[in-house]
Amino acid sequence: EKVNGTLTVNKAPVTITTGSASKTYDGTPLTNEEAAISGLAEGESVTLQATGTITDVGSTENTYTIEWDKASADNYTVTESLGTLTVTKAAITIKVVGNTAVKTYNGKEQRAEGYVLTCEAGLYDADKVKFSGEAAAKGTDVGTYPMGLAAEQFSYEDSNVEAAFEITDGWLKIEPAALTITVNGNADTRIYNGSEQSFAGTFNASCSDAGFDAGKFSYSGNTTAAGTNVGDYTTDPAEENCSYSDSNYNITWKMGDPVKLTI
């Protein structure tokens, strides 16, 4: 009795390996051409090429293509050991400099508006910067007013980039306006009576500037002229006794007529 035996050729194991790579996002594809196969029978060969690619932030396998040139895929069991291609976010710093302005008080609200963006990174695109809020420093009275820019008001619309914002705040400075005020005393006439007579006069302020308010003027010195005999008796205005209750003006005082009593 003859019993035929069985000859069995099992598939040989081969391992295909591709390389790994990583970089920070720069807008160009990341690849790694490393690709190798181990376990082929002697004299057999294949054409192997790594094909993995990634440009945006994330990770992917480094895939491959294979051509079984002098070998048959049916003869092998393939195990893959694929590399990983990883792109991480790029970090950029964007400088935000608020605009500034120095203006003279005019009684109305004044403003300094806007800002300037700069960044040294080659990836930077100003159109991707978004701002929420009002980029304006505003005020009416003399003083310095900040714009109030803050990093949290800015964002960068690109998922591949981590943007940090370096803020230099803008400001508005309002300086006092020049105001020239003339101070004049009033006058009175009396008839001689042999006794001392006095006139409790006043000093009045005048100015051609439309912003002038006579009610803000005050005089703290002597305003009385007194005498007995026939003649003119005067009290001159003094600059050190004059005041104007509005810090929005730099005052130039002009001393005019005195308070005068004529007997």
Side-chain angles (χ1 to χ4, degrees):
E1 181 179 355
K2 294 181 180 180
V3 177
N4 292 329
T6 301
L7 299 178
T8 301
V9 179
N10 294 319
K11 289 186 177 183
V14 292
T15 301
I16 296 176
T17 303
T18 58
S20 296
S22 64
K23 72 171 183 177
T24 300
Y25 174 79
D26 63 5
T28 63
L30 172 64
T31 60
N32 186 331
E33 296 180 355
E34 295 176 8
I37 187 169
S38 61
L40 287 175
E42 185 177 353
E44 295 189 351
S45 64
V46 299
T47 298
L48 191 65
Q49 182 177 4
T51 58
T53 180
I54 185 171
T55 300
D56 292 336
V57 168
S59 294
T60 189
E61 289 183 332
N62 190 6
T63 54
Y64 65 91
T65 60
I66 184 171
E67 294 181 8
W68 297 87
D69 299 329
K70 294 181 179 180
S72 173
D74 295 336
N75 292 327
Y76 294 97
T77 298
V78 177
T79 299
E80 295 177 341
S81 179
L82 302 183
T84 301
L85 303 177
T86 302
V87 176
T88 58
K89 284 189 175 185
I92 66 173
T93 299
I94 301 172
K95 294 182 178 181
V96 182
V97 179
N99 292 329
T100 63
V102 178
K103 300 186 178 183
T104 300
Y105 173 78
N106 63 6
K108 301 176 183 179
E109 182 181 86
Q110 302 187 76
R111 301 163 71 95
E113 298 179 295
Y115 52 82
V116 176
L117 300 171
T118 57
C119 181
E120 296 179 357
L123 296 168
Y124 171 67
D125 181 351
D127 292 336
K128 294 181 179 180
V129 177
K130 304 301 176 184
F131 174 74
S132 61
E134 183 183 15
K138 49 192 175 181
T140 301
D141 294 330
V142 167
T144 300
Y145 301 87
M147 191 172 288
L149 294 177
E152 55 268 23
Q153 293 175 302
F154 292 86
S155 61
Y156 193 74
E157 294 188 342
D158 189 336
S159 59
N160 294 307
V161 176
E162 189 70 40
F165 291 90
E166 184 179 297
I167 307 296
T168 301
D169 199 18
W171 48 264
L172 166 68
K173 182 179 182 181
I174 299 179
E175 296 184 331
L179 198 65
T180 298
I181 300 176
T182 300
V183 178
N184 288 305
N186 56 355
D188 194 19
T189 300
R190 306 283 177 84
I191 303 299
Y192 173 77
N193 63 9
S195 301
E196 183 181 77
Q197 300 183 72
S198 64
F199 169 51
T202 58
F203 286 107
N204 300 306
S206 62
C207 179
S208 60
D209 192 286
F212 173 71
D213 182 355
K216 295 180 179 180
F217 169 77
S218 62
Y219 190 84
S220 60
N222 178 37
T223 62
T224 300
T228 302
N229 297 321
V230 170
D232 291 331
Y233 300 89
T234 60
T235 297
D236 293 325
E239 182 176 326
E240 62 268 21
N241 295 323
C242 299
S243 62
Y244 189 75
S245 59
D246 192 334
S247 60
N248 292 309
Y249 293 95
N250 280 331
I251 307 299
T252 297
W253 296 101
K254 183 177 180 181
M255 299 297 102
D257 297 332
V259 169
K260 183 171 72 172
L261 170 62
T262 300
I263 299 176

